[in-house]
Amino acid sequence: MNDRYHWDRSHPGLTSLRTAIDPVRREVLEHGIYRRLDTLAQVRAFQESHVFAVWDFMSLLKSLQRELTCVDVPWVPRGDATARRLINEIVMGEESDDALGGGYTSHFELYREAMHECGTDGRPIDAFIARVSHGDTVHDALSRASAPKAARQFVESTFATIESRSLARIAAAFTIGREEIIPEMFTRLVSDLSQSAGGRLARFEDYLRRHIQIDGERHGPMAARLLESVCGADEEGWSEALVGARGALVARRALWDGIEVELKRAPQAVS
């Protein structure tokens, strides 16, 4: 990892933030959902909802890019150069990562390939993407595409954060609610997937392991540095960051609760 993105000592504001959100963070990491993905049918049920969180991650990331860099024409220099570098590098890795077998792909597209490989119903997410592409609001598209209830609530929570236009809140939701916790969540999923049906989960496991590696070693530390640069010595900024971080983790816990209900209903057969 590039040492420019790693520090042994965190900013005091970030240390305090992590301490404040630790109880809900532990609830997410100790959730019972990780012990339930032991059949192919349950993996399918999980993916049908979780794919919406994979999609809205990119909107959260792009909202940060919009706030921290210039994405308009004509272009003008905007913001802190280090923040621009950090966010643009994360975008590159998430939107155009190396693909299996060569070429490039976004992590969302890799996830959709994983769904196809194990026979997961992708019609709701595809219908949602089509409706958003044709101008539907996110709220309307979720409803009309019959997205799972837990997924709808999670995405709407993410977009409430985005629409707040609070840079500190968005950056904290991204850093604490995504980049820093995803490696630990996905490590638990991979551990249980080793007990699931083999042969049809290769791309899904690749997606999970890719995030464990990239987020744990690179994007997580980069996002933390980004959050520090956004909030700096601004106490109000760190207060806003706490709102964003806690809200993202509470939404994740609710998503896991909702998916766990669906997993209990999923058939036990692995075919």
Side-chain angles (χ1 to χ4, degrees):
M1 181 178 64
N2 191 324
D3 287 338
R4 289 179 299 171
Y5 304 140
H6 185 268
W7 291 263
D8 291 331
R9 297 174 63 188
S10 295
H11 187 287
L14 183 54
T15 300
S16 296
L17 174 60
R18 286 173 174 150
T19 299
I21 56 85
D22 185 63
V24 67
R25 186 178 190 276
R26 283 189 283 107
E27 288 178 359
V28 172
L29 292 175
E30 295 168 6
H31 201 281
I33 194 171
Y34 307 108
R35 297 185 293 274
R36 290 194 173 274
L37 299 184
D38 54 4
T39 71
L40 185 56
Q42 288 172 326
V43 171
R44 289 168 176 160
F46 174 84
Q47 288 179 334
E48 286 178 19
S49 290
H50 182 240
V51 67
F52 286 88
V54 176
W55 173 81
D56 83 352
F57 171 91
M58 284 304 303
S59 292
L60 193 62
L61 175 58
K62 285 293 189 174
S63 71
L64 279 174
Q65 189 180 38
R66 178 185 64 190
E67 297 294 335
L68 293 168
T69 74
C70 181
V71 293
D72 300 318
V73 177
W75 177 88
V76 294
R78 177 183 297 164
D80 176 74
T82 298
R84 293 198 302 260
R85 173 69 187 216
L86 290 166
I87 198 64
N88 284 334
E89 186 165 339
I90 295 173
V91 168
M92 183 183 73
E94 298 287 348
E95 195 169 30
S96 53
D97 199 3
D98 295 326
L100 288 172
Y104 304 97
T105 188
S106 71
H107 288 175
F108 172 77
E109 290 165 307
L110 176 60
Y111 198 97
R112 280 296 289 112
E113 291 172 8
M115 291 175 66
H116 179 74
E117 181 180 64
C118 63
T120 301
D121 184 4
R123 288 174 294 180
I125 185 63
D126 290 345
F128 170 74
I129 295 295
R131 288 189 174 278
V132 169
S133 298
H134 285 91
D136 279 15
T137 66
V138 168
H139 176 80
D140 288 346
L142 287 167
S143 177
R144 293 170 182 168
S146 299
K149 180 180 179 181
R152 291 200 307 270
Q153 293 173 338
F154 185 85
V155 172
E156 288 177 346
S157 175
T158 299
F159 271 79
T161 298
I162 291 171
E163 290 162 5
S164 75
R165 298 302 292 261
S166 167
L167 182 55
R169 194 178 296 189
I170 296 168
F174 179 76
T175 300
I176 305 298
R178 302 297 179 110
E179 294 290 19
E180 288 197 346
I181 199 170
I182 279 175
E184 291 188 64
M185 290 193 306
F186 285 3
T187 296
R188 286 161 170 75
L189 288 176
V190 167
S191 174
D192 287 320
L193 281 172
S194 65
Q195 306 298 319
S196 300
R200 302 185 71 178
L201 296 176
R203 289 186 183 274
F204 188 42
E205 290 197 57
D206 179 69
Y207 168 87
L208 296 173
R209 293 185 190 281
R210 187 70 173 149
H211 274 274
I212 292 168
Q213 177 188 7
I214 293 176
D215 293 348
E217 297 178 2
R218 192 167 186 81
H219 288 180
M222 290 168 68
R225 176 67 182 93
L226 184 66
L227 179 57
E228 290 174 352
S229 72
V230 165
C231 295
D234 181 6
E235 291 187 9
E236 184 177 346
W238 285 111
S239 295
E240 279 288 290
L242 178 58
V243 172
R246 181 176 284 133
L249 292 172
V250 168
R252 176 71 65 169
R253 183 183 61 195
L255 176 65
W256 278 179
D257 287 345
I259 295 178
E260 188 173 34
V261 170
E262 294 304 316
L263 295 183
K264 291 176 181 177
R265 298 171 179 166
Q268 297 302 306
V270 300
S271 59

